[in-house]
Amino acid sequence: MRIWLRTRWITVLAAALAAYTALTAAAGDTLVDLPSLGSDAARPLVLFAPLLVCMGLAVCLGSRLPAAEASGSRPVARFDQALILATVLATVVVAYAVAVFLDARTANTAGRNTAFLVGLMLCARRTAGHQVAAITPVAWVITMMLIGNTGGNGQPHPWTVILLPPDHLPAALAATAVLALGVATAPHAPMLRDTA
């Protein structure tokens, strides 16, 4: 377990979680005007907080010892799955706490969006590799900001997930389903090749 903790660079993930917490608390309900092809709707600043966690997890899960993990008897894949779920659960708790204690209802979307984007990243990691996985959440957020609206009224399309309001049940169910799929594929992700 100690070797797994050192190999996975847990400190990087802890720093990402700390930055996520700080940005979620600082952003709260703050809206910013961002470029969009559909309308001039302002977007919540907290939309970017999940990207910090996704990058931390990408680094953490990408730091592996392929030969040792392939031949070892430890359940490394289960450790990774537990780490992913614990990380997402922590982000949901932080987002809910910020929404309640700072009265910032929009901040509550950060936890749901983290679950969705982490699941998306893990699915991309399984199908396209580590490099593509690292940029997939960023690409999703940028694309949804650009084309996620219906017409000029600023209403988000239902498939955007991350732009939907915090009490949107289908978005929460979609985020949960994508996370579950991503966690299920995590043990089957290709390992990085040894560079030596």
Side-chain angles (χ1 to χ4, degrees), residues 67-167:
E69 291 179 27
S71 64
S73 61
R74 302 275 185 201
V76 174
R78 298 291 177 235
F79 291 164
D80 287 346
Q81 287 176 315
L83 177 68
I84 293 163
L85 291 174
T87 301
V88 172
L89 180 61
T91 64
V92 170
V93 169
V94 165
Y96 182 74
V98 168
V100 170
F101 294 121
L102 299 182
D103 194 27
R105 183 174 172 266
T106 306
N108 207 13
T109 61
R112 179 199 67 204
N113 291 348
T114 301
F116 177 77
L117 292 172
V118 165
L120 198 65
M121 178 190 72
L122 293 171
C123 291
R125 183 172 166 253
R126 169 69 173 103
T127 58
H130 297 280
Q131 291 82 10
V132 173
I135 63 168
T136 299
V138 176
W140 185 269
V141 170
I142 291 172
T143 303
M144 293 310 104
M145 285 189 316
L146 290 174
I147 63 168
N149 293 333
T150 58
N153 62 1
Q155 293 298 315
H157 289 289
W159 46 264
T160 62
V161 179
I162 62 171
L163 299 179
L164 298 170
D167 58 351

Side-chain angles (χ1 to χ4, degrees), residues 29-57:
D29 283 333
T30 304
L31 299 175
V32 290
D33 289 321
L34 298 169
S36 175
L37 300 177
S39 73
D40 296 330
R43 299 285 179 222
L45 184 58
V46 78
L47 191 64
F48 298 100
L51 296 177
L52 299 168
V53 176
C54 290
M55 293 303 113
L57 266 175

